Amino acid sequence: MDDMDSFARQVFASQPFSQFVGAELVAVSSDSAELALTVQDHHKQQHGFVHGGVLSYLADNAITFAGGLALGGNALTAEFKINYLRPAIGRRLLATAQARSAGKRMAICQCEIYAVDGESRKLCALAQGTVVPAA
């Protein structure tokens, strides 16, 4: 587990965009990943909700980490879709992704994104994607 965790943290630390938006890699396992982001004003759109692009980034990256770990190494998202369920209003976002099926050539992953404010945790988006090994 330490090697997997170290590998995942090294990959995450090498992602300039993840550092730019202020995301954190919270936890990983052999087929799952959890990312978090403390909401800042620059993450919001004109109505005061977190912008859908921020939610999409979290889903995409969490899915890629979960699928990549399930496939045993570096990976890329081949496709994903996201459903926005409610506006993301909170102090923090938490994206949890799990590989639901993994073979040699692809992993199918699902992600839940929660808006967290104190004790309140509301599901605001669901995503599903296909992850493939990086060439």
Side-chain angles (χ1 to χ4, degrees), residues 37 39-40 43-45 48-55 87-90 93:
L37 180 122
V39 176
Q40 304 292 326
H43 296 127
K44 298 177 183 178
Q45 43 86 298
F49 313 141
V50 175
H51 192 282
V54 176
L55 297 174
I89 301 170
L93 297 176

Side-chain angles (χ1 to χ4, degrees), residues 76-110:
L76 300 168
T77 301
E79 63 81 34
F80 89 102
K81 80 174 288 296
I82 189 165
N83 292 100
Y84 301 108
L85 307 176
R86 67 172 38 95
I89 301 170
R91 296 180 186 268
R92 193 162 168 83
L93 297 176
L94 185 63
T96 60
Q98 176 85 39
R100 298 296 182 191
S101 175
K104 292 182 182 179
R105 297 185 187 161
M106 70 177 178
I108 307 300
C109 303
Q110 293 178 321

Side-chain angles (χ1 to χ4, degrees), residues 11 14 20 28 37 42 45 56 60 67 69-70 74 78 92 96 109 112-113 122 131-132 135:
V11 170
S14 72
F20 176 74
V28 296
L37 180 122
H42 62 268
Q45 43 86 298
S56 289
D60 177 28
L69 292 165
N74 284 321
R92 193 162 168 83
T96 60
C109 303
E112 298 176 344
I113 301 176
K122 294 183 180 178
V131 177
V132 297

Side-chain angles (χ1 to χ4, degrees), residues 53-75:
V54 176
L55 297 174
S56 289
Y57 152 76
L58 285 170
D60 177 28
N61 212 12
I63 283 169
T64 305
F65 267 93
L69 292 165
L71 293 171
N74 284 321

